[in-house]
Every structure is written in C-alpha cells, then in structure tokens.
C-alpha cells in the first residue's frame, strides 16, 4: 500500500484501518507512523525552498504491507534546475533528522549541459557526489548514476566500452565499487543493452578491446561481462548471445587474456549461445576449444586439504507456507506488468549447506501487449526497490537483486532479464529446513 505525494499534496488524513485485497488474501493495512506525513510535508517544504531545486516528488510506502506492515519508507525524488552540484550540499543540510517513523531514501537528478552529463545521486553521500562530479565531464559517458542500488553509467553514442572504461576505472580507487557500463539504448538495437561491470583493474584494456570486437560482429544480440572477485574465489565471465556462435567462439579462443597469462587474475570463462537456445558453448578466453578448466584458483587454506566435499543428501523438505509466499510475491510482480502469466515454484536442495530453498519463476509474455519490455521491466524492479531490495550485480544479461535481511517470507534474492519471449524473473529463499 503506497501513499503517493506530489509536492505538498500529502496532508490528507489516512483511515486507521484499510482493507487491502491482494492476489491470495485480504488483510488490514496499518496507517503511516504518527507524524510521518507531517514530517515528510515539512521536509518537502524545506527542499522546495532551496535555490537550485526545480521539483520534488515524495511518497510514503510500507516496506511490505502483508509481512512487515509496521516498517515504512519515505522516498524523495528531487530534480535540480541546473547543473550546479552545490545543490546537493544544500539538500543534505535541509534533510536534518529525516522523516519521523520512516527510513529516508532520497535521490537527486542533476540535468546535463554541453560538456557535462546528467547525473543521479544521493545528496547525503559525499562519495556519490564526488564520483558523479568526477565522471560527468567525461565525453565518453552519456549519463552517470551513483545511487545506492548500483554505480553505473551509459556509454555515449560513438564511444566504446574500452574508451568509457578508461575514463571510469581511474576514479574507482584501489578498493572501489563495481561500476556497470551500459550501451546507450537509443543507439543500440539489442533488446537488453550490453553491459560491462568494472573494477579498478578488470577488465583490462586488452580484454575490453576483445569485448568491443565481439560487439562489432554481425548477429550479436546480447553481451555481459562480470569481473571475478578480488580474492579469486570466482573467475571473470563473458556471456554472449549471437546468431553465429561459432564465429564468436573462434574470436574468443584466439584472443588474449593478458591478466591470466601474467598470473595476476584467473582466466576469463565464456558462454556463447544462440538467442532462445537452452544450451551454450563454453570455454576459456585464449585457450583452444575443449581445453580443461584452468587450475588457477586460490591456494588451499590450512584445513582445506583432505576435507571431503560437502554433499547435501536431503531429503527435500516440504515447505507449503514458504512456497505459497514465494508464489504470491512473484504473482504480485507479474501483476505489476499488466500481463498475465503462470508462476512456477519448486523446491531444491541447497548446494553448500543443509536445507531446502524455494524458487519461484515466471516468463511474462510482455510482447503480446507491449512493443517494448522496458515499462514492465521498470514496474517489476520498482516494486522490488520499494520492498527494500537492492541491485547486487549482473551476469549473462540477468540483473540480480538482494532482499533486505530477515524477510518473513524467507526470500533472499531476485533476478530478472529480458528475453525474446518476454520478461524472465523470479525469487528464491535462503536455505530452510
């Protein structure tokens, strides 16, 4: 249940008990915390009065009307009237103690001008403001987003991943966050914009040149690069969808993984498939087809040698309440798209600990109603964001989201991607017994 406010329209009283009917049941919704609406209205007034602010949009929303009705979030979206980032500090000062009884989530959109890209940031974070300021003057970037969900930028038309990464990576520092680059949707004909996740050192300029060369091939429909973890527990990966996978594979096995050759990083694995195919060709960049997995993982730690690998022998637990909760949550996400679809749930054994997880998934045929999947995609992830989920990463064209801790339904993560058949998304619980 959301209480939306545009500018000052939030003073209307709310009934103490509202009956809300969801997909599976009806329940009583709690009113907003006492004083929260008035506090948000006062915050709106303070921000509107700031020099350099063009508009303010706010809303109060329960984090989970069914399972967590007493936790509320206040969302404030501010648009600046010009490119001056000094407005961020003025908004930060105006925030004060925030909103009574609710967690505050605030974003600032600063428009671009010639020579400066538009940026989105949290005005309360000096790190976000500083990074956005450092990057918005880079001609290879069309827009920059340094909000809490994911640091990202859109590559300017005519620029490559290699040139954009060269501008971004020096600003990430030795322990900087993962930063996602995406191609400009207007200049890209693929249904899901190609993406490359950056760390300060990965991918290398040589690997970025390989990625750009793959994108230049005819028939490539999707591409996503994910760097490995610094400790080496996971290796870098490149996922590609193409109508001529053999040509892509030939280019990758003939390319150079300079960091792996130098022994400073694990070798990059690749997966290449045809659009809508269920199988893919896998291998290692710079190694011949059929080569075994490189033995380049982290060194065993004391106590690891001689230990038997963990095997969860089950049995698979009966979890009817969790299955029903997972189904209901995915169905609610489906409903937000406006296109009906059948949700599937399953139970499976956890791989690294004892227990059973519940998985709910669906493919929503959005193209039977819409010409473009972006609107339904945004509707789903906006709902997840409102429920406290945050974007955790991207691999093989799929966006991964982490749920807030200790949800009553046990859901720990969600994922979504666009496909030729529509939107594929789902959620899964942690290991339950």
């Amino acid at each position: 249940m959301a209480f939306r406010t545009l500018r000052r329209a939030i003073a209307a009283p709310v009934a103490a008990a509202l009956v809300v009917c969801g997909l599976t049941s009806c329940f009583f919704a709690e009113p907003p915390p006492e004083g929260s609406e008035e506090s948000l209205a006062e915050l709106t007034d303070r921000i509107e009065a700031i020099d350099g602010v063009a508009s303010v949009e706010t809303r109060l929303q329960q984090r989970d009307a069914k399972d967590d009705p007493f936790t509320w979030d206040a969302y404030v979206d501010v648009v600046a009237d010009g490119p001056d980032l000094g407005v961020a500090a003025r908004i930060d000062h105006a925030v004060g103690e925030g909103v009574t009884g609710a967690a505050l989530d605030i974003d600032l959109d600063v428009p671009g001008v010639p020579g400066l890209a538009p940026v989105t940031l949290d005005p309360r974070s000096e790190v976000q403001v500083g990074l956005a300021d450092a990057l918005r003057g880079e001609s290879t970037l069309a827009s920059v987003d340094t909000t809490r969900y994911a640091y990202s930028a859109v590559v300017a038309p005519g620029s490559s991943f290699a040139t954009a990464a060269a501008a971004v990576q020096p600003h990430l520092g030795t322990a900087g966050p993962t930063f996602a680059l995406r191609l400009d949707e207007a200049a890209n004909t693929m249904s899901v914009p190609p993406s490359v996740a950056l760390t300060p050192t990965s991918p290398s300029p040589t690997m970025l040149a390989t990625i750009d060369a793959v994108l230049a091939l005819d028939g490539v429909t999707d591409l996503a690069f994910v760097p490995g973890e610094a400790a080496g527990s996971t290796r870098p990966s490149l996922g590609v969808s193409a109508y001529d996978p053999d040509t892509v594979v030939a280019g990758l096995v003939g390319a150079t993984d300079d960091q792996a050759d130098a022994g400073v990083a694990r070798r990059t694995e690749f997966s290449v498939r045809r659009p809508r195919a269920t199988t893919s060709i896998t291998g290692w960049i710079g190694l011949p087809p059929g080569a075994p997995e490189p033995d380049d993982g982290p060194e065993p730690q004391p106590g690891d040698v001689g230990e038997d690998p963990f095997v969860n022998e089950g049995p698979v637990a009966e979890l009817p309440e969790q299955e029903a909760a997972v189904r209901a949550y995915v169905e609610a996400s489906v409903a937000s798209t406006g296109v009906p679809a059948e949700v599937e749930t399953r139970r499976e054994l956890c791989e690294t600990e004892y227990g059973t997880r519940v998985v709910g998934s669906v493919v929503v045929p959005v193209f039977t109603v819409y010409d473009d999947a972006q609107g339904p995609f945004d509707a789903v992830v906006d709902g997840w964001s409102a429920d406290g989920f945050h974007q955790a990463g991207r691999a093989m064209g799929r966006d991964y989201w982490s749920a807030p801790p200790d949800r009553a339904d046990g859901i720990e993560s969600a994922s979504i991607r666009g496909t030729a058949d529509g939107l594929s998304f789902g959620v899964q619980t942690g290991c339950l017994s």
Side-chain angles (χ1 to χ4, degrees), residues 14-417:
V14 179
L18 298 175
V19 178
V20 178
C21 292
L23 292 170
T24 58
S25 62
C26 293
F27 53 93
F28 286 93
E30 290 293 322
E34 184 177 355
S36 60
E37 291 180 293
E38 295 80 3
S39 176
L40 183 55
E42 292 169 359
L43 175 58
T44 303
D45 287 340
R46 294 197 300 271
I47 295 177
E48 286 180 331
I50 293 173
D51 182 36
V53 169
S55 66
V56 183
E57 181 176 326
T58 66
R59 73 183 187 273
L60 272 174
Q61 181 170 299
Q62 281 172 301
R63 188 163 295 176
D64 188 325
K66 180 176 181 293
D67 296 318
D68 192 8
F70 300 105
T71 301
W72 285 73
D73 296 295
Y75 294 90
V76 178
D77 297 316
V78 185
V79 178
D81 65 7
D84 179 18
L85 276 182
V87 69
R90 296 192 289 273
I91 293 172
D92 181 31
H93 179 74
V95 167
E97 298 298 321
V99 176
T100 301
L104 178 60
D105 188 311
I106 182 167
D107 285 345
L108 170 63
D109 290 326
V110 179
V113 294
L116 293 175
V119 298
T120 301
L121 51 87
D122 184 337
R124 299 169 297 177
S125 169
E126 291 184 7
V127 172
Q128 290 187 20
V129 174
L131 182 59
D133 192 26
L135 295 179
R136 65 178 180 154
E138 298 290 348
S139 61
T140 57
L141 304 179
S143 64
V144 177
D145 187 337
T146 61
T147 57
R148 65 212 159 278
Y149 297 124
Y151 287 7
S152 64
V154 173
V155 179
S159 296
S160 65
F161 278 127
T163 56
V168 172
Q169 285 176 312
H171 296 287
L172 300 184
T174 56
T178 298
F179 193 105
L181 289 176
R182 302 189 308 276
L183 289 190
D184 186 275
E185 293 186 30
N188 170 55
T189 59
M190 302 183 194
S191 58
V192 179
S195 67
V196 172
L198 306 174
T199 69
T201 58
S202 179
S204 69
T206 300
M207 185 62 67
L208 284 158
T210 297
I211 291 170
D212 285 329
V214 170
L215 274 178
L217 295 173
D218 291 335
V220 173
T221 62
D222 191 12
L223 179 146
F225 177 89
V226 178
E229 294 184 3
S233 57
T234 61
R235 65 173 69 249
S237 64
L238 176 65
V240 182
S241 173
Y243 286 104
D244 185 4
D246 291 339
T247 297
V248 175
V249 170
L252 294 177
V253 299
T256 299
D257 189 338
D258 58 324
Q259 292 183 328
D261 290 342
V264 298
R266 300 185 69 183
R267 188 165 296 275
T268 303
E269 63 180 325
F270 66 76
S271 173
V272 183
R273 62 176 177 83
R274 293 181 182 273
R276 289 174 287 182
T278 57
T279 59
S280 60
I281 304 172
T282 59
W284 322 98
I285 291 181
L287 296 185
E293 179 174 359
D295 184 16
D296 57 0
E299 291 295 321
Q301 299 299 308
D304 290 347
V305 178
E307 291 185 359
D308 293 331
F310 175 82
V311 177
N312 183 359
E313 297 179 345
V316 177
E318 297 290 337
L319 300 167
E321 292 184 2
Q322 284 79 12
E323 278 197 84
V326 165
R327 178 179 294 276
Y329 193 80
V330 179
E331 286 177 340
S333 295
V334 171
S336 72
T337 70
V339 181
E342 185 67 26
V343 175
E344 296 182 356
T345 61
R346 68 180 186 275
R347 290 166 291 124
E348 59 185 32
L349 293 175
C350 299
E351 298 89 353
T352 58
E353 60 182 297
Y354 293 109
T356 301
R357 73 164 54 90
V358 178
V359 179
S361 60
V362 67
V363 176
V364 182
V366 295
F367 298 120
T368 61
V369 177
Y370 303 101
D371 293 331
D372 188 283
Q374 192 62 52
F377 184 100
D378 290 343
V380 173
V381 298
D382 284 351
W384 293 348
S385 295
D387 289 341
F389 286 65
H390 67 274
Q391 193 169 352
R394 194 169 195 262
M396 307 304 184
R398 180 171 289 271
D399 291 337
Y400 291 89
W401 292 66
S402 294
D406 302 323
R407 283 181 57 94
D409 55 17
I411 293 174
E412 284 193 347
S413 63
S415 68
I416 184 170
R417 71 165 292 158

Side-chain angles (χ1 to χ4, degrees), residues 2-21:
F3 295 84
R4 293 185 177 275
T5 66
L6 295 179
R7 297 174 68 86
R8 301 190 47 160
I10 62 173
V14 179
L18 298 175
V19 178
V20 178
C21 292

